[in-house]
Amino acid sequence: MKTGNGLTFLGRLLDKVCAADLLQSEHRQALSARIEHLLAETGLNRLQFGDHIRVEMNELRVWLSGTRDLTLETLTEICHLFHISIGDLVTEQA
C-alpha cells in the first residue's frame, strides 16, 4: 500500500495490527458464539445467565460482543453453570 509519498493512512493502520491481535479477536468471537450456543441449548436468556454468574448486564453485553476478555474466574463460573470443563467451552464445536 505504498504511494508516492509513503504508506497510505490505511496502510499505516494495517501495519500496526499484528497477527496475534487478530487471532485473539477471533478467539473472543468464537468463545462468544459458543456461550450463545450454550444459552440457546439450555433455554437460558442473557438476564438469567448474568444472574447465575453474578455479572451486570452491561458487562455481559461487552463479553458476548467479543470485545473484552473474560477472566479465568468468570470462565470457571460459566463452566460450572453449564456443567462443562473449560476445555469443552473453548473447543470448537462441529
Side-chain angles (χ1 to χ4, degrees):
M1 294 191 142
K2 293 211 180 234
T3 64
N5 297 335
L7 289 177
T8 64
F9 177 71
L10 179 58
R12 288 190 309 269
L13 286 176
L14 290 175
D15 284 345
K16 292 181 180 184
V17 177
C18 72
D21 291 337
L22 293 174
L23 185 59
Q24 187 177 37
S25 178
E26 288 176 20
H27 288 169
R28 278 193 213 110
Q29 294 292 333
L31 183 57
S32 174
R34 176 72 170 125
I35 292 170
E36 292 283 7
H37 175 79
L38 289 166
L39 290 174
E41 256 186 11
T42 60
L44 287 175
N45 63 39
R46 287 181 172 198
L47 183 59
Q48 293 166 324
F49 177 60
D51 287 344
H52 281 287
I53 62 170
R54 298 179 303 277
V55 171
E56 296 289 328
M57 187 55 82
N58 287 336
E59 186 70 14
L60 184 61
R61 280 189 195 107
V62 173
W63 289 339
L64 294 179
S65 72
T67 57
R68 188 170 304 152
D69 290 331
L70 289 102
T71 65
L72 181 58
E73 290 79 11
T74 302
L75 290 171
T76 301
E77 288 284 332
I78 292 168
C79 291
H80 179 73
L81 171 64
F82 292 124
H83 307 287
I84 60 175
S85 69
I86 287 179
D88 289 338
L89 181 63
V90 299
T91 301
E92 187 173 337
Q93 302 297 304

